[in-house]
Amino acid sequence: MANAFRAFMPYILPLIGLLFWRRARPLLHYFNPAAWLSGYGLLALLASGFSLDFEASLYFGLAFLMNLLIPCTFFSHRGARVARPEVVLLVATWLILALFDVLIYVYLRDQLTEGYGIAGQIQNMTRSSGLARWFGVAGLLCFTLIWQGNGQIRWVFALPLAFCAWIVWTMQSRGGIFGFFAGMALLLIFSRSSWRAYALVFLVFLGLVGAGKSEFVMDKVKEQVLRGQTVEQFQSMTGRTRAYAHGWEQILEHPLIGRGNWADRMTIGEHVHNSELQALMNAGFLGFIPYMISWFVGWWLFYKLYRWRKYMEPLDAQLFMQAGAVMCFFTVRSIPETTTASFSVDSMLMVPVYIYLFVLFQRMKALMRQKRNIARRVPV
């Protein structure tokens, strides 16, 4: 019944979405990364006509677009009772993520120590990289609450942070590990308390220098990175370089429009494991342009908002840094995985981040304009 419900949703949700479309606040804006991602999704949906499996490509194409449209229902009424729907959307996303992590722990608590081998332990429901993704993002949220928070209550999140970091490390997902540390580095670099960040970075640097001189530590790091593979397997990124080569060949056969969602599975018979190649295979070079713009606009919003961070309310300052850390995590993960290029859990987390950054930018832009206008009226 659960699978039947899931299978029919992409065909039912468009009808529901149309009910809100006329009343929704305009989120189609060139500074909204989700809008550019929608353009890419539409082109990928049209490319379903060239897919080797039209029905499957259409299904995931609709699911991808609904993943963008359904969050817009939070903005469906002008003058809605909820004053800050973008905040509700992002906080609800974090709460659902936390709930899902708890359920994963309850269901898999006896198998989480399997590490990379967990891929074969749970009936193909997820992989080690999938678990590293779920707990990596949750760990970054916990770290933000500690690092940016005030008072002693923030240390309540220290234990969840340590547990999430342990899961990411145990799963031996390279994308998860590098993404997790990249997100933490972003939080430290752009922290409100730079002296603490510099001190912590310096201590970490000293620790790494000391660890690098230990043969025991280096053997453990090598064991962690190789995951029991040979050097040749590691250099091929666990077969990814082969998938990249085959994927590029298929792109050149259909360069303009692509072959619809999940074209890699239907042409080269495997996951291409790269967001940019996935976008090219799904929607061709026409779709690749808005797809890449979505990433660039997302980081442009982060840069602009960072300059205005001292004018933000405390909650927005907290959520803004969380959104940046999550976007950093998935930017790194976009190299070995597909993230926002196809319908996935990654895109389900990134769309609320994009919408939040855009709406916050609109609000802060209006606030800064108001401050400039007031400054002009003040007599010298």
Side-chain angles (χ1 to χ4, degrees):
M1 183 59 69
N3 285 333
F5 179 79
R6 174 191 176 191
F8 282 107
M9 276 300 99
Y11 303 108
I12 297 173
L13 290 178
L15 302 177
I16 300 175
L18 290 175
L19 298 177
F20 295 95
W21 183 257
R22 292 176 60 86
R23 293 180 292 171
R25 290 185 181 182
L27 293 177
L28 292 176
H29 194 280
Y30 50 84
F31 284 153
N32 185 358
W36 289 104
L37 205 57
S38 298
Y40 158 76
L42 285 171
L43 288 169
L45 184 66
L46 291 175
S48 299
F50 301 99
S51 175
L52 299 179
D53 190 335
F54 172 74
E55 184 179 354
S57 184
L58 178 68
Y59 165 79
F60 284 109
L62 289 172
F64 182 86
L65 289 174
M66 289 308 100
N67 186 36
L68 288 153
L69 178 58
I70 295 303
C72 295
T73 59
F74 280 76
F75 305 86
S76 60
H77 299 283
R78 296 180 185 276
R81 294 179 183 178
V82 180
R84 299 293 304 277
E86 74 281 5
V87 171
V88 177
L89 172 63
L90 195 62
V91 171
T93 302
W94 297 160
L95 291 176
I96 293 172
L97 171 66
L99 176 62
F100 199 83
D101 281 346
V102 171
L103 292 175
I104 288 175
Y105 172 74
V106 171
Y107 184 71
L108 300 175
R109 60 183 179 275
D110 296 330
Q111 300 172 343
L112 288 176
T113 57
E114 294 288 339
Y116 187 66
I118 200 171
Q121 300 292 325
I122 49 179
Q123 301 174 357
N124 295 321
M125 290 177 60
T126 186
R127 299 181 295 125
S128 59
S129 61
L131 292 176
R133 166 190 58 200
W134 284 109
F135 287 93
V137 172
L140 290 174
L141 299 181
C142 292
F143 183 74
T144 310
L145 292 170
I146 296 173
W147 193 250
Q148 297 288 112
N150 294 310
Q152 298 302 315
I153 191 65
R154 59 181 171 155
W155 296 108
V156 171
F157 299 98
L159 185 59
L161 168 61
F163 179 74
C164 290
W166 175 75
I167 291 293
V168 172
W169 182 258
T170 303
M171 290 301 106
Q172 294 181 280
S173 169
R174 297 161 189 148
I177 292 173
F178 290 132
F180 183 72
F181 283 112
M184 292 188 71
L186 179 137
L187 291 171
L188 292 174
I189 293 171
F190 294 95
S191 171
R192 66 176 186 179
S193 303
S194 57
W195 71 269
R196 288 190 301 174
Y198 297 146
L200 185 57
V201 169
F202 180 70
L203 291 175
V204 171
F205 174 76
L206 289 180
L208 291 175
V209 171
K213 295 181 179 181
S214 170
E215 184 176 347
F216 173 78
V217 172
M218 294 307 297
D219 287 341
K220 286 294 183 182
V221 171
K222 183 178 179 180
E223 178 184 341
Q224 183 75 12
V225 172
L226 289 180
R227 302 187 311 208
Q229 298 174 336
T230 64
V231 175
E232 290 75 16
Q233 289 174 322
F234 172 74
Q235 291 175 343
S236 70
M237 298 176 65
T238 320
R240 281 173 170 80
T241 53
R242 178 196 64 247
Y244 295 165
H246 293 167
W248 184 249
E249 292 175 1
Q250 291 297 322
I251 290 168
L252 295 180
E253 290 185 11
H254 240 270
L256 190 60
I257 190 64
R259 292 195 172 187
N261 273 270
W262 294 121
D264 53 346
R265 262 70 162 197
M266 302 169 195
T267 55
I268 64 175
E270 61 180 326
H271 191 356
V272 76
H273 283 289
N274 179 267
S275 294
E276 289 70 33
L277 289 175
Q278 182 81 68
L280 284 165
M281 296 184 76
N282 288 356
F285 284 95
L286 286 179
F288 181 73
I289 295 172
Y291 176 74
M292 291 305 300
I293 291 176
S294 70
W295 281 111
F296 287 121
V297 172
W299 281 110
W300 181 86
L301 288 175
F302 180 84
Y303 166 74
K304 293 292 291 186
L305 287 168
Y306 178 73
R307 296 177 62 187
W308 297 336
R309 68 194 183 283
K310 63 181 179 181
Y311 301 107
M312 294 180 185
E313 298 177 3
L315 178 59
D316 277 322
Q318 186 80 262
L319 292 175
F320 163 66
M321 291 306 301
Q322 289 180 337
V326 172
M327 186 165 61
C328 183
F329 178 89
F330 284 116
T331 300
V332 173
R333 185 177 159 84
S334 70
I335 300 172
E337 301 293 344
T338 59
T339 59
T340 56
S342 287
F343 177 68
S344 64
V345 171
D346 297 21
S347 64
M348 293 176 72
L349 292 173
M350 277 300 299
V351 169
V353 167
Y354 278 158
I355 293 177
Y356 174 79
L357 290 175
F358 168 69
V359 177
L360 179 61
F361 170 76
Q362 295 289 79
R363 292 184 186 276
M364 294 302 300
K365 184 179 178 181
L367 176 64
M368 299 308 296
R369 187 184 298 115
Q370 181 181 5
K371 287 182 176 292
R372 285 193 296 268
N373 291 338
I374 292 174
R376 293 192 186 100
R377 298 194 192 102
V378 175
V380 179

